Amino acid sequence: MKYNFNAGPSALPQEVVKATADACLDFNGTGLSIMEIGHRTKDFQAVIDEAMALFKELLQIPEGYSVLFLGGGASLEFCMVPYNFLERKAAYLNTGVWASKAMKEAKLFGEVVEVASSADKNFTYIPQGFAIPEDADYLHITTNNTIYGTEMRYDLDSPVPLIADMSSDILSRPVDVSKYALIYGGAQKNISMAGLAFVIVKDELLGKVSRQIPTMLDYRTHVKEGSMFNTPPVVPIYTALQTLKWIKANGGVQGMAERAQQRAKVLYDEIDRNRLFQGTAREDSRSLMNITFVLKDEYKDLQDKFLAFASEKGLVGIKGHRLVGGFRASSYNAMTMEGINALVACMQEFEKQN
Ligand SMILES: *Cc1c(COP(=O)(O)O)cnc(C)c1O
């Protein structure tokens, strides 16, 4: 038995993996693999239609928004967002590596104002109370900072259109989508396998910039064509549909949020209690999705030993990102309480031995 704490690509519910494996052998009783069928077939059209409808239902996405399934990952959205929205000036909240990468792309299109940054403390907290320039075309935020284990688990009030990278916390809590102009992310953290990005966009805000936009990079193309302008990532979309169904059957995003709270509480409580370990993120900014912790200075040399010990117990993927060090336990929707309990038991046993 393995418990998968990988940060991304990451754990998916067993039912989802199984359904995808089955469809790879025989999709809908067609005798063909999902990998082999045309994206414009009736059978696949039903898949993408249902995935978009379920996405809207689960997040209660209001009228006037489109859901898109695109290739290119979240990183292509770093460029598509300013291409489609930045006329003169954009505001960015700098909460880590991914936010910085998004800013770098935006600078190719216009002026970028960093409204606040937590770089001074290695991105261990979410800045609060910063001023948002009212003449910015939009404010960009990263709601969950996958590497540093910090999260904005609330919907910010912004006087300008709000755009959010939700790669690593989408569908883990209810979101007031009406507060956002656009939400995007890579699907490989909480929805599907790699190769797919999701976008939720408020249609009426598109088409306001004066520049020409290449067809594939213009959100209007994908809204108009229902994400079928070209061949979309067929299998990852199929997997996304299975995950969305699984979320619906397991209490929806409210159910996901409650379980995320429970898992995170148990693990953070142990990190705070255990003599050997300490958390890295400031308490008010702690992520429920990526739980980062290190050995206290006096126990630092036990790092490799703990990783080996955890690995023996079937705990996979808890090595921290090199920019933070230590450990990172990703606790996405598919993580079970059993997995968290196994990690806690491992930490307690390790404490007794050392
Ligand atoms: C993983 C991640 C990305 C990058 O996603 P790709 O799909 O690999 O481009 C961007 N933002 C956040 C918050 C992430 O966690």
Side-chain angles (χ1 to χ4, degrees):
M1 180 72 198
K2 300 277 188 196
Y3 296 107
N4 182 359
F5 291 94
N6 280 324
S10 36
L12 291 167
Q14 267 309 303
E15 297 94 309
V16 169
V17 174
K18 174 92 177 39
T20 305
D22 289 346
C24 281
L25 294 173
D26 181 2
F27 171 54
N28 276 4
T30 55
L32 299 176
S33 168
I34 179 88
M35 295 182 277
E36 302 175 311
I37 56 143
H39 58 293
R40 302 203 189 273
T41 53
K42 246 191 12 251
D43 279 355
F44 183 70
Q45 188 66 52
V47 168
I48 195 166
D49 288 349
E50 192 181 356
M52 285 175 178
L54 256 182
F55 215 112
K56 287 187 177 172
E57 180 187 326
L58 288 168
L59 281 175
Q60 294 183 22
I61 299 175
E63 286 290 300
Y65 284 78
S66 296
V67 170
L68 311 177
F69 293 125
L70 308 174
S75 297
L76 187 59
E77 302 308 312
F78 294 164
C79 145
M80 280 177 75
V81 162
Y83 226 137
N84 286 264
F85 288 92
L86 205 175
E87 181 71 18
R88 207 179 58 76
K89 176 164 138 185
Y92 277 71
L93 177 63
N94 188 1
T95 50
V97 166
W98 297 117
S100 310
K101 288 190 173 172
M103 281 169 75
K104 175 168 180 262
E105 297 306 298
K107 284 176 187 161
L108 300 171
F109 298 90
E111 185 190 342
V112 169
V113 180
E114 184 182 82
V115 290
S117 166
S118 45
D120 59 333
K121 297 210 164 78
N122 198 30
F123 300 113
T124 48
Y125 69 101
I126 302 284
Q128 306 246 346
F130 45 86
I132 302 165
E134 306 239 349
D135 59 344
D137 296 320
Y138 61 86
L139 169 68
H140 180 282
I141 59 173
T142 311
T143 52
N144 186 68
N145 300 282
T146 322
I147 292 174
Y148 301 94
T150 63
E151 186 176 15
M152 304 172 77
R153 239 180 138 73
Y154 45 85
D155 302 308
L156 199 70
D157 290 309
S158 167
V160 300
L162 183 61
I163 295 185
D165 176 355
M166 292 198 187
S167 292
S168 48
D169 63 352
I170 189 73
L171 295 167
S172 76
R173 66 171 174 100
V175 168
D176 181 356
V177 175
S178 71
K179 285 187 155 183
Y180 298 83
L182 187 145
I183 296 169
Y184 69 88
Q188 70 274 23
K189 315 252 161 77
N190 230 350
I191 303 181
S192 187
M193 62 179 84
L196 180 67
F198 64 89
V199 175
I200 303 165
V201 59
K202 190 170 189 178
D203 301 327
E204 68 177 29
L205 298 176
L206 294 173
K208 304 241 197 259
V209 288
S210 53
R211 73 175 62 84
Q212 296 264 353
I213 306 174
T215 313
M216 270 296 280
L217 301 181
D218 190 333
Y219 286 121
R220 287 172 302 180
T221 303
H222 303 291
V223 169
K224 182 159 162 278
E225 302 294 335
S227 296
M228 290 274 231
F229 171 72
N230 69 328
T231 319
V234 170
V235 183
I237 290 171
Y238 183 82
T239 305
L241 171 59
Q242 307 313 310
T243 303
L244 293 164
K245 285 182 177 172
W246 177 86
I247 292 173
K248 185 171 173 174
N250 285 278
V253 289
Q254 187 58 46
M256 296 299 116
E258 284 160 17
R259 284 153 64 162
Q261 287 282 1
Q262 288 161 5
R263 290 192 306 268
K265 177 166 189 338
V266 169
L267 185 48
Y268 280 122
D269 280 353
E270 176 59 20
I271 291 167
D272 293 340
R273 185 211 61 78
N274 195 302
R275 171 174 54 86
L276 307 180
F277 300 98
Q278 64 187 31
T280 60
R282 201 170 75 187
E283 249 172 78
D284 67 355
S285 305
R286 283 175 161 181
S287 168
L288 302 194
M289 297 284 108
N290 308 99
I291 296 171
T292 50
F293 55 105
V294 292
L295 283 155
K296 289 182 185 154
D297 277 344
E298 58 269 41
Y299 301 111
K300 276 274 183 277
D301 47 341
L302 294 174
Q303 164 116 355
D304 290 344
K305 198 172 161 196
F306 181 68
L307 282 172
F309 188 70
S311 163
E312 268 169 41
K313 309 244 168 230
L315 308 177
V316 177
I318 60 161
K319 191 170 169 32
H321 190 281
R322 74 195 140 74
L323 293 171
V324 179
F327 315 101
R328 170 174 54 176
S330 295
S331 176
Y332 298 124
N333 287 341
M335 177 51 64
T336 56
M337 194 47 124
E338 198 189 353
I340 295 294
N341 287 337
L343 175 54
V344 166
C346 172
M347 292 165 74
Q348 292 176 348
E349 203 179 324
F350 194 72
E351 181 189 30
K352 286 203 189 88
Q353 290 178 12
N354 292 277

